[in-house]
């Protein structure tokens, strides 16, 4: 007779998406709100490493054990989001032998499969490693696509009855009688994103329990509720290369330091990263020296990086947290563990818990623990099954067939699509009616895949981008941004197409600015010429307030001849018959 | 026998061709050395002279707008006479293939992005589509093409306030190709009037497919893929069958209009007796004091000297790789001419995608003779001139002046090189 308990989750990153799926699977009535796109915050701005745990095997063994456990789980339930590249911890001659031994022992202590390779063996695996690399430890690191992972979690939750609202920013936490009872959100002005909120309106969402899974933004939600959540946002830069210089995750085997990892990711490699505390998770300097540091330092491991082409750089903020009184000065020393702050117990304000800290690799385990907590609070008895039930797209990953004949597309394109879509390939490609041309050449994304993404994310082309990788390749959208936008015309008017295009174009530019030299500067100029010169998007009369005096422009030779005979009209510039030396306008 | 000419032009695009033709008009022997295909295949095929000054426009009169440009703009050096000379050489070279020379006014041409843009010369096939012509328009796109969406173009053009009504429809091309066939494939089918899926010719089948949608419109616009070698014939047949005029909307790469322009320019060079050496890059030079003696061309790893009295550098800008860069600096790779730039590479660009980027103006600094200058302001070499994208100081993308700058600087640099050789 009781109603289904309701839960509201704030934050559409990996943790929030993991929680909403978990609770939906346990039969709760659950809603997720996210102020931007899914993965808009920290999740979408990470280097995509699926940790083996090796990274923490010396400094933080409990985290290392969790990582290897979850690494195995994700390989099982999220096959279409994971590429098992393997990883190396590489020792240069100047790196400490003792630390190398500690790392190896640490891996073994934590149950992480670890094997020592000689320098020669390591170079056999990765030919571009520096010639003087001494030796390496091989571990089961991998690459994971955080976008695909979050989308799969959210999609599964929606299928199980959850409500997911993107572009819905929390503007207030509702407190009644000393208890948190919900939040007020503001839906974005434009009708973009997923969910059914009315654009530009505010909405109060009530729930039996609220989970603040906003990571680096958790302090801001805390402020709205009147509780202190002292997150320490720490920024890190990541630089994206235009090709995969390595096919294995390459880590520097030394205690800690900036610029010590290269993660192969889809068609690219991602160089990371720095660790520097910032005041505001939204507003911090993005500086050129950080990019240079990535290239210069990681060139010590892979020398060709110093001359290689980068396509953009981006920064993310870690939601670091440590319990009050620990007093750690250096953010790299702060634990990567996560903390659940029950505001009832901690601040005498029941109805909400905040989650801070943690990392993507263990997102599911975190979600499980938090969901256990929520169920306990609500008196629900339901088992967690997220470690066993595959995500949508990963149910049956035997779909890598010969796609060329099947769907009338060239086979490399089909293969890439199938890698992204996993077991949904048949539905998406096979369900498409009509021609299915490639829209994004760099990443081999076809029209069917674009429309599938639009169906799930609306007119927000950045959301289409993260689902498909369209516009994320070498050309950074030069050849495909407008093609992606054109696909919206089937269901929307031209103004929507234009706005969506402008937004995507600007977003692509933001990161590309950090890669403007050499080949990529040349590419950026070509992009600028195509969009500004050939299309005239920067001088677009449709976007300008002033009216164009069309009659002052050339209307062709015949029109001019006709107009020329009607006498002098000062408004007509095109009436001089082309006599050289005369200035028609003056 | 060493290779020796009066004038050597390095580059293969619009500026190089213009410079070579201008030099040849002085009666001297001219050779053009070009590396790869030019960037014309990526350009629209339109000849823009000047449409905006500092974001203000579109301007109907390009010559009137020149006065508002900063003094160090290349147009300031060559003057209106230089621009007109460039256009004259262009008009002579392309003949009837381009229109627009009958007036000083800019034309407004619908673009495949849906906007209209100011331009000085336009291919004959584009002429019936000008935005100032008050004729209702049907834009037609094809199902498999993703670059050109006819409904987007039509609605957008209307939003720009054009003096006519416009609609867009998408039809299947009457012959089935691979789903993402290139523009060149469509063009070939129309050129050859290949058999459509229904057995008849594609031209008739296409006209039939479009006729179904045509109501009161007086003209029909297609993406620029209406034939290659026999484009005029294709358009004429479609126009006859439809009973309205037919035009092309310039597209991005691969741009058939750009490719055709390249062909025409090379034919004109050939006709004028310019010697052509293509396929190998210029990699360096030999000088005697401030005089260049020869340019080295890398042929299969071997440096071959090309001697001349006078040299024109027309290797293009950032896109054509006439201007290079690394994390530290911006360079001109053949002669290492001075290219001014900030030491902080973050000052090379703006945070707004369509901002007034410094990189868009990168290039060598010409003196009044169009000789690239060193940081001191003195000419780098006494017998080297520069033309086109390698010349800095113009924001050709925002101004819509890329072709005009190439033509004007090409004409002046080539002409003077010829006179002095």
């Amino acid at each position: 007779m009781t109603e289904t308990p309701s839960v509201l989750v704030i934050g559409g990153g990996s943790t929030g998406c993991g929680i909403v799926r978990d609770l939906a699977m346990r039969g709760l009535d659950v809603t997720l709100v996210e102020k931007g796109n899914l993965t808009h915050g920290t999740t979408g701005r990470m280097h995509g490493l699926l940790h083996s745990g090796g990274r923490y095997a010396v400094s933080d063994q409990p985290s290392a054990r969790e990582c290897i456990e979850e690494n195995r789980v994700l390989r099982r339930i999220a096959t279409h989001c994971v590429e098992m590249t393997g990883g190396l911890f590489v020792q240069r001659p100047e790196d400490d032998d003792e630390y190398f031994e500690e790392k190896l022992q640490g891996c073994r202590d934590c149950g992480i499969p670890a094997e020592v390779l000689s320098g020669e063996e390591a170079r056999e695996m990765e030919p571009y490693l520096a010639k003087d690399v001494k030796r390496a430890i091989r571990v089961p690191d991998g690459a994971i696509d955080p976008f695909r992972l979050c989308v799969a979690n959210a999609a599964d939750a929606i299928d199980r009855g959850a409500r997911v609202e993107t572009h819905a920013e929390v503007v207030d936490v509702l407190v009644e009688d000393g208890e948190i009872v919900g939040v007020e959100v503001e839906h974005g002005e434009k009708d973009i994103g997923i969910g059914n909120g009315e654009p530009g309106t505010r909405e109060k969402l009530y729930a039996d329990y609220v989970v603040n899974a906003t990571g680096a933004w958790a302090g801001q939600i805390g402020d709205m509720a009147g509780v202190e959540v002292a997150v320490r946002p720490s920024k890190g830069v990541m630089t994206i290369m235009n090709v995969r210089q390595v096919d294995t995750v390459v880590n520097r085997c030394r205690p800690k330091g900036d610029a010590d990892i290269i993660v192969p990711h889809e068609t690219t490699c991602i160089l990371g990263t720095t660790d520097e505390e910032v005041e505001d998770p939204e507003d911090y300097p993005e500086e050129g020296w950080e990019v240079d540091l990535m290239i210069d330092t990681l060139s010590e491991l892979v020398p060709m990086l110093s001359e290689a082409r980068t396509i953009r750089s981006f920064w993310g903020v870690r939601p670091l947290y440590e319990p009050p009184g620990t007093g750690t000065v250096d953010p790299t020393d702060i634990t990567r563990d996560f903390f659940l702050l029950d505001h009832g117990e901690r601040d005498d304000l029941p109805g909400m818990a905040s989650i801070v800290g943690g990392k993507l690799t263990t997102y599911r385990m975190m979600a499980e623990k938090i969901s256990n907590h929520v169920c306990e609070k609500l008196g629900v008895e339901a088992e967690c099954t997220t470690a066993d039930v595959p995500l949508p797209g990963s149910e049956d990953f035997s779909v890598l067939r010969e796609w060329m004949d099947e769907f009338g597309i060239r086979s490399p394109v089909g293969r890439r699509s199938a890698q992204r879509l996993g077991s949904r390939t048949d539905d998406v490609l096979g369900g498409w009616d009509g021609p299915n041309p490639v829209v994004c050449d760099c990443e081999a994304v076809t029209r069917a895949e674009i429309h599938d993404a639009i169906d799930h994310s609306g007119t927000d082309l950045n959301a289409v981008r993260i689902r498909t990788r369209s516009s994320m390749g070498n050309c950074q959208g030069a050849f495909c941004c407008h093609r992606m936008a054109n696909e919206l015309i089937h269901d929307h008017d031209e103004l929507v197409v234009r706005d969506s295009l402008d937004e995507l174009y600007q977003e692509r530019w933001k990161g590309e600015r950090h890669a403007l030299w050499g080949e990529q500067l040349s590419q950026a100029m070509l992009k600028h010429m195509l969009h500004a010169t050939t299309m005239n998007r920067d001088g677009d009369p449709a976007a300008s307030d002033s009216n164009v005096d069309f009659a002052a422009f050339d209307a062709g030779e015949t029109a001019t001849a006709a107009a020329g005979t009607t006498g002098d009209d000062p408004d007509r510039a095109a009436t001089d018959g082309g006599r050289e030396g005369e200035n028609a306008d003056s | 026998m060493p290779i020796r000419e009066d004038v050597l032009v390095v580059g293969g695009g619009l500026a190089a061709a213009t410079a070579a033709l201008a030099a040849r008009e002085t009666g001297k022997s001219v050779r053009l050395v070009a590396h790869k295909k030019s960037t014309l295949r990526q350009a629209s095929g339109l000849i823009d002279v000047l449409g905006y000054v500092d974001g203000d426009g579109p301007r109907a009169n390009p010559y009137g707008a020149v006065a508002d440009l900063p003094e160090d703009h290349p147009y300031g050096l060559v003057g209106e006479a230089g621009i007109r000379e460039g256009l004259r050489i262009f008009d002579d070279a392309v003949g009837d293939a381009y229109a627009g020379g009958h007036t000083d006014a800019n034309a407004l041409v619908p673009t495949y992005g849906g906007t209209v843009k100011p331009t000085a010369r336009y291919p004959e096939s584009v002429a019936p589509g000008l935005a100032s012509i008050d004729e209702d328009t049907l834009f037609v796109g094809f199902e498999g093409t993703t670059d050109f969406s006819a409904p987007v173009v039509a609605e957008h053009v209307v939003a720009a306030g054009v003096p006519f009504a416009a609609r867009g429809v998408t039809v299947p091309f009457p012959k089935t190709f691979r789903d993402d066939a290139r523009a060149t494939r469509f063009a070939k089918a129309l050129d050859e009037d290949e058999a459509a899926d229904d057995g008849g010719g594609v031209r008739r089948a296409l006209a039939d497919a479009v006729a179904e949608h045509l109501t009161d419109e007086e003209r029909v616009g297609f993406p620029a893929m209406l034939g290659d070698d026999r484009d005029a014939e294709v358009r004429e047949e479609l126009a006859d069958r439809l009973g309205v005029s037919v035009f092309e909307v310039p597209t991005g790469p691969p741009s058939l209009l750009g490719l055709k322009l390249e062909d025409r320019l090379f034919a004109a060079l050939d006709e004028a007796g310019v010697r052509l050496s293509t396929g190998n890059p210029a990699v360096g030079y030999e000088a005697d004091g401030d005089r260049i003696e020869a340019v080295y061309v890398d042929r299969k790893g071997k440096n071959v000297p090309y001697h001349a009295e006078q040299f024109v550098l027309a290797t293009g800008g950032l896109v054509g790789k006439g201007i290079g860069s690394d994390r530290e600096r911006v360079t001109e790779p053949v002669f290492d001419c001075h290219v001014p730039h900030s030491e902080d590479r973050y000052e090379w660009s703006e945070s707004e995608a369509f901002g007034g980027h410094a990189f868009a103006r990168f290039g060598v600094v010409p003196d009044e003779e169009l000789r690239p200058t060193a940081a001191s302001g003195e000419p780098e070499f006494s017998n080297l001139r520069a033309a086109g994208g390698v010349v800095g100081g113009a924001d050709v993308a925002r101004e819509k002046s890329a072709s005009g700058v190439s033509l004007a600087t090409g004409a002046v640099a080539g002409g003077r090189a010829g006179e002095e050789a």
Side-chain angles (χ1 to χ4, degrees):
Chain A
M1 62 149 278
T2 53
E3 277 184 35
T4 314
S6 59
V7 183
L8 187 109
V9 180
I10 313 170
S14 56
T15 313
C17 290
I19 298 169
V20 74
R21 179 185 189 227
D22 193 327
L23 292 174
M25 286 173 80
R26 299 192 205 206
L28 274 70
D29 173 10
V30 53
T31 299
L32 180 141
V33 293
E34 159 59 48
K35 71 171 173 176
N37 278 316
L38 295 179
T39 76
H40 172 82
T42 300
T43 299
R45 311 186 136 263
M46 50 100 63
H47 46 39
L49 171 66
L50 178 67
H51 281 280
S52 62
R55 200 165 178 80
Y56 306 116
V58 176
S59 58
D60 186 355
Q61 294 204 340
S63 286
R65 289 196 180 90
E66 287 176 2
C67 280
I68 187 64
E69 186 181 337
E70 284 302 291
N71 175 303
R72 292 183 171 124
V73 170
L74 293 182
R75 280 192 248 167
R76 197 165 61 232
I77 66 157
T79 42
H80 78 296
C81 309
V82 169
E83 181 188 352
M84 275 319 289
T85 59
L88 293 174
F89 280 87
V90 174
Q91 184 191 21
R92 287 191 45 80
E94 65 270 27
D95 297 340
D96 188 23
D97 276 339
E98 203 177 316
Y99 184 77
F100 187 90
E101 297 304 333
E102 264 184 83
K103 177 71 85 184
L104 185 62
Q105 191 55 45
C107 285
R108 292 185 172 150
D109 291 346
C110 298
I112 302 162
E115 176 194 356
V116 177
L117 304 181
S118 67
E120 202 169 301
E121 286 167 332
R123 278 187 295 278
E124 238 166 67
M125 257 182 87
E126 286 303 336
Y128 295 120
L129 280 179
K131 294 210 169 11
D132 56 350
V133 155
K134 200 169 158 187
R135 52 188 174 154
I137 304 170
R138 183 173 171 170
V139 293
D141 281 341
I144 185 159
D145 186 322
F147 305 119
R148 224 175 284 162
L149 181 71
C150 284
V151 166
N153 271 282
D156 196 37
I158 292 168
D159 280 351
R160 295 167 193 272
R163 177 181 173 192
V164 174
E165 286 285 339
T166 60
H167 301 278
E169 181 168 7
V170 172
V171 290
D172 198 11
V173 174
L174 306 173
V175 181
E176 283 174 14
D177 301 328
E179 192 174 338
I180 291 173
V181 294
V183 298
E184 183 171 5
V185 296
E186 187 169 278
H187 294 290
E189 280 296 324
K190 284 185 239 153
D191 188 10
I192 56 175
I194 49 176
N196 42 25
E198 187 69 24
T201 64
R202 288 191 172 201
E203 184 183 1
K204 286 183 171 149
L205 297 165
Y206 291 91
D208 296 317
Y209 202 77
V210 176
V211 179
N212 171 18
T214 55
W217 287 260
Q220 295 177 3
I221 298 292
D223 287 345
M224 289 179 200
V227 295
E228 196 191 338
V229 182
V231 201
R232 294 172 62 171
S234 168
K235 72 165 175 174
V237 64
M238 278 142 281
T239 292
I240 309 189
M241 312 308 295
N242 79 321
V243 293
R244 285 166 67 129
Q245 282 87 5
V246 293
D247 287 317
T248 311
V249 175
V250 172
N251 303 267
R252 181 82 176 258
C253 191
R254 60 181 178 191
K256 63 178 180 188
D258 287 338
D260 61 359
I261 188 163
I262 309 167
V263 184
H265 188 79
E266 299 276 331
T267 51
T268 69
C269 272
I270 303 182
L271 315 187
T273 178
T274 44
D275 201 343
E276 199 179 334
E277 208 160 321
V278 294
E279 288 288 317
D280 183 341
E282 304 252 9
D283 186 19
Y284 48 84
E286 299 179 343
E287 292 170 83
W289 66 264
E290 299 175 87
V291 176
D292 289 327
L293 179 76
M294 289 307 109
I295 297 167
D296 295 338
T297 309
L298 283 163
S299 300
E300 294 169 15
L301 291 185
V302 180
M304 73 182 304
L305 289 176
S306 65
E307 299 297 322
R309 170 173 170 185
T310 84
I311 54 177
R312 63 194 282 121
S313 289
F314 61 93
W315 279 255
V317 280
R318 301 173 188 80
L320 298 185
Y321 182 83
E322 54 177 15
T326 315
T328 310
V329 178
D330 184 342
T332 59
D333 288 335
I334 299 177
T335 175
R336 263 48 174 168
D337 208 353
F338 85 98
F339 296 87
L340 189 156
L341 314 177
D342 181 322
H343 296 295
E345 290 165 16
R346 184 177 175 269
D347 307 298
D348 205 20
L349 185 65
M352 180 165 92
S354 293
I355 319 305
V356 285
K359 54 199 161 300
L360 185 117
T361 300
T362 56
Y363 89 96
R364 192 213 58 83
M365 185 184 273
M366 284 163 64
E368 177 176 348
K369 289 179 180 170
I370 296 153
S371 298
N372 287 344
H373 175 82
V374 171
C375 287
E376 191 189 309
K377 287 284 163 190
L378 298 177
V380 175
E381 281 189 27
E383 289 295 304
C384 175
T385 50
T386 57
D388 303 311
V389 182
L391 287 162
S394 290
E395 287 100 346
D396 170 16
F397 200 49
S398 59
V399 288
L400 289 172
R401 290 184 264 127
E402 194 52 65
W403 295 103
M404 185 160 63
D405 298 337
E406 193 78 16
F407 299 121
I409 47 184
R410 285 165 295 156
S411 95
V413 177
R415 200 170 299 125
R416 292 292 311 282
S417 296
Q419 274 163 359
R420 284 188 293 263
L421 293 164
S423 54
R424 297 184 59 242
T425 309
D426 259 323
D427 283 349
V428 175
L429 298 185
W432 181 251
D433 193 17
N436 188 24
V438 172
V439 174
C440 164
D441 287 299
C442 298
E443 296 295 314
V445 184
T446 63
R447 179 180 273 168
E449 217 182 315
I450 297 281
H451 279 267
D452 173 62
I454 292 171
D455 288 346
H456 290 98
S457 59
T459 60
D460 183 345
L461 293 181
N462 275 308
V464 172
R465 168 178 69 79
I466 62 176
R467 280 167 168 79
T468 60
R469 290 190 63 79
S470 191
S471 80
M472 289 172 78
N474 271 352
C475 85
Q476 291 287 289
F479 299 103
C480 63
C481 276
H482 57 286
R483 295 178 183 171
M484 292 166 70
N486 281 345
E487 297 302 320
L488 293 170
I489 197 69
H490 298 273
D491 295 310
H492 302 276
D493 66 29
E494 187 271 330
L495 198 57
V496 173
V497 173
R498 204 190 310 164
D499 282 350
S500 296
L501 169 58
D502 287 343
E503 206 163 51
L504 175 65
Y505 193 79
Q506 180 62 38
E507 191 284 336
R508 293 285 79 195
W509 176 243
K510 188 173 180 276
E512 192 177 5
R513 267 199 87 200
H514 300 291
L516 289 189
W517 66 85
E519 285 284 338
Q520 201 61 26
L521 180 56
S522 175
Q523 181 82 59
M525 186 64 190
L526 173 60
K527 180 175 171 178
H528 191 52
M529 294 290 277
L530 284 177
H531 288 262
T533 303
T534 307
M535 287 189 239
N536 193 22
R537 288 184 47 223
D538 64 332
D540 185 359
S544 145
D545 293 336
S546 52
N547 290 327
V548 176
D549 177 11
F550 283 89
F553 288 82
D554 176 13
E557 204 150 6
T558 3
T560 305
T565 59
T566 59
D568 288 334
D569 179 346
D571 292 332
R572 294 299 295 260
T575 54
D576 75 343
R579 291 189 298 276
E580 279 195 357
E582 285 188 18
N583 203 329
D585 249 6
S586 55
Chain B
M1 254 307 264
I3 303 160
R4 179 173 288 281
E5 319 288 343
D6 296 325
V7 178
L8 184 79
V9 178
V10 186
L14 188 57
T18 311
L21 290 169
R24 190 71 191 114
E25 282 185 5
T26 64
K28 305 292 167 58
S29 75
V30 180
R31 181 181 295 269
L32 181 144
V33 293
H35 179 204
K36 292 182 184 163
K37 299 278 186 191
S38 81
T39 51
L40 283 167
R41 65 187 48 240
Q42 292 158 341
S44 63
L46 299 177
I47 300 295
D48 309 338
V49 167
L50 186 60
Y52 294 78
V53 176
D54 205 16
D56 177 38
R59 305 281 289 254
N61 178 1
Y63 302 104
V66 167
D68 301 334
L69 290 168
E71 266 181 29
D72 57 353
H73 191 284
Y75 281 162
L77 297 173
V78 300
E80 186 175 324
I83 301 172
R84 290 190 184 277
E85 177 65 359
L87 285 168
R88 179 194 62 77
I89 292 173
F90 177 80
D91 291 340
D92 285 353
V94 298
D96 292 342
Y98 273 70
H102 60 280
T103 171
D104 276 357
N106 273 327
L108 286 173
V109 173
T111 76
Y112 74 117
T115 60
V116 292
K117 72 169 259 190
T119 194
R121 298 288 186 274
Y122 40 88
E124 186 203 10
S125 66
V126 171
L130 297 190
S132 298
I133 301 176
D134 182 3
E135 287 180 354
D136 289 353
T137 307
L138 180 70
F139 288 97
V140 176
F142 301 119
E143 280 180 351
T145 58
T146 50
D147 254 331
F148 182 94
S149 165
V152 170
V153 171
E155 283 185 43
H156 197 150
V157 160
V158 168
V162 294
F164 54 85
R167 278 190 314 129
V169 295
T170 304
V171 301
F173 194 77
K175 179 182 171 105
T176 310
F177 301 127
R178 201 183 75 200
D179 283 349
D180 45 6
R182 294 272 181 184
T184 41
R185 183 66 191 91
F186 292 87
K188 180 171 173 283
L190 286 165
D191 258 358
E192 312 277 331
D193 202 12
E194 290 174 11
D197 292 343
D198 70 2
V202 283
R203 294 182 192 171
R204 182 197 50 73
L206 177 57
D208 288 350
V210 173
E212 272 180 42
H213 295 278
L214 197 61
T215 50
D216 313 330
E217 287 88 359
E218 295 160 276
R219 54 182 172 175
V220 176
F222 293 91
M225 47 174 73
L226 298 182
D228 189 354
D229 296 337
R230 289 179 222 156
D231 47 358
E233 188 186 304
V234 170
R235 278 198 320 282
E236 198 177 328
E237 182 169 344
L238 289 174
D240 278 352
R241 289 185 182 277
L242 289 167
V244 296
S245 54
V246 165
F247 65 93
E248 291 187 304
V249 177
T251 59
S255 158
L256 275 168
L257 297 178
L259 288 164
K260 284 182 215 178
L261 174 56
E262 185 170 33
D263 288 347
R264 275 182 200 284
L265 291 173
F266 272 84
L269 290 169
D270 208 35
E271 222 166 279
V274 173
R275 298 186 172 106
L276 299 170
S277 303
T278 58
N280 300 297
V283 291
Y285 65 96
E286 186 186 309
D288 179 8
D290 75 343
R291 248 191 111 69
I292 294 170
E293 301 275 311
V295 163
Y296 289 124
V297 170
D298 173 39
R299 206 153 63 198
K300 294 174 186 156
K302 203 174 134 216
N303 276 353
V304 180
Y306 283 71
H307 295 271
E309 297 298 317
Q310 295 286 326
F311 296 84
V312 178
L313 174 68
T315 42
L318 286 167
V319 178
K321 312 284 169 66
I323 299 295
S325 64
D326 58 25
R327 277 192 280 155
E328 314 295 330
R329 59 192 286 263
V330 184
T331 54
E332 182 286 295
V334 182
F335 300 99
D336 200 20
C337 291
H338 169 61
V339 178
H341 59 276
S342 166
E343 275 182 30
D344 177 357
R345 68 170 185 264
Y346 280 79
E347 307 222 323
W348 298 356
S349 63
E350 299 290 321
S351 56
E352 285 300 309
F354 288 124
H357 303 303
F359 72 75
R361 298 188 299 276
F362 280 166
V364 301
V365 185
D367 67 3
E368 66 284 352
E369 279 277 300
L370 294 184
R371 290 174 302 200
T373 58
S376 65
E378 293 301 307
E380 297 261 14
F381 301 96
S382 61
N383 60 342
L384 175 68
R385 290 178 178 76
V390 76
V391 175
D395 190 342
V396 296
R398 295 180 90 210
E399 294 165 3
K400 325 301 161 192
S401 65
S403 306
V405 167
S406 289
L407 293 177
T409 54
V412 171
R416 297 206 183 146
E419 284 158 19
E420 282 191 21

